[in-house]
């Protein structure tokens, strides 16, 4: 394990700071020089090699996982929203939402893991819509961002 390098405010665009291929990114402005960076993507489970009968009959566990930095920019600096969707990409079969609050204890830039396992979600799941939000604050040197890394969606087969 190597901790992420320290970062400060930057004027560089987010896309210059990492690999965001496959993510749709937008910004939501908030009061008091705060904003959310919203990153989302929709994973097509059939395109990833799974098949309808497996998803409908076996319903393997679907795990979503993320790591975010406790940037201490606000009481809530991270949100995770996940929907298991049907083939029409609109019908929600299962969902999970979490917005952890910071404890403001321990070292700053502490990394926190967030995960959820979907089990016995019912037939029809074809897509996983994964969305996370991270808080930013505008400072004299630029934008101080809450970092997030190692986002994943995985499927586990049970015996």
């Amino acid at each position: 394990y190597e901790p992420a390098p320290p970062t400060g405010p930057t004027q560089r665009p987010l896309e210059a700071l990492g690999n965001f291929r496959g993510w749709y990114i937008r910004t939501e402005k908030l009061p008091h020089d705060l904003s959310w960076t919203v990153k989302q993507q929709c994973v097509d489970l059939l395109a990833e090699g799974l098949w309808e009968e497996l998803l409908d009959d076996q319903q393997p566990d679907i795990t979503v996982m993320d790591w975010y930095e406790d940037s201490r920019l606000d009481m809530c600096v991270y949100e995770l929203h996940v929907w298991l969707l049907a083939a029409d990409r609109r019908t929600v079969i299962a969902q999970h939402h979490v917005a952890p609050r910071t404890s403001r204890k321990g070292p700053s830039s502490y990394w926190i893991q967030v995960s959820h396992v979907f089990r016995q979600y019912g037939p029809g799941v074809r897509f996983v819509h994964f969305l996370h939000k991270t808080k930013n604050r505008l400072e004299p040197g630029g934008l101080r961002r809450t970092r997030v890394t190692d986002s994943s969606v995985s499927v586990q087969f049970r015996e």
Side-chain angles (χ1 to χ4, degrees):
Y1 168 77
E2 283 188 39
T7 62
T10 181
Q11 295 183 11
R12 296 175 60 196
L14 180 64
E15 291 78 8
L17 301 175
N19 177 1
F20 299 101
R21 187 178 51 241
W23 291 92
Y24 171 74
I25 302 170
R26 64 184 166 82
T27 301
E28 294 177 0
K29 297 218 181 278
L30 299 168
H32 309 294
D33 292 326
L34 294 171
S35 63
W36 286 112
T37 295
V38 182
K39 295 187 279 295
Q40 62 184 317
Q41 63 177 287
C42 193
V43 178
D44 181 340
L45 297 173
L46 300 180
E48 293 296 327
L50 302 173
W51 54 98
E52 291 178 357
E53 295 80 11
L54 172 73
L55 292 167
D56 294 345
D57 299 340
Q58 299 298 315
Q59 296 179 27
D61 292 349
I62 299 174
T63 301
V64 295
M65 187 170 44
D66 227 353
W67 287 87
Y68 75 93
E69 173 187 28
D70 183 3
S71 62
R72 310 276 174 94
L73 297 178
D74 202 2
M75 286 299 294
C76 178
V77 298
Y78 170 88
E79 291 183 9
L80 174 66
H81 305 276
V82 183
W83 299 268
L84 300 186
L85 303 175
D88 64 4
R89 289 189 187 217
R90 290 191 186 106
T91 303
V92 177
I93 295 172
Q95 57 188 310
H96 176 74
H97 308 280
V98 64
R101 301 289 184 236
T102 60
S103 66
R104 301 220 180 244
K105 296 179 182 174
S108 63
S109 299
Y110 181 72
W111 288 84
I112 300 167
Q113 181 190 50
V114 176
S115 64
H116 179 75
V117 180
F118 291 95
R119 292 187 171 98
Q120 300 174 341
Y121 39 79
V125 171
R126 300 296 179 263
F127 296 92
V128 178
H129 186 142
F130 186 104
L131 179 150
H132 60 221
K133 298 167 76 169
T134 54
K135 190 83 53 93
N136 312 303
R137 184 174 60 217
L138 186 60
E139 297 182 348
L143 199 61
R144 181 176 300 277
R145 301 177 184 276
T146 299
R147 297 177 294 171
V148 64
T149 190
D150 291 341
S151 305
S152 67
V153 174
S154 60
V155 177
Q156 297 83 36
F157 300 96
R158 298 182 302 272
E159 292 186 31

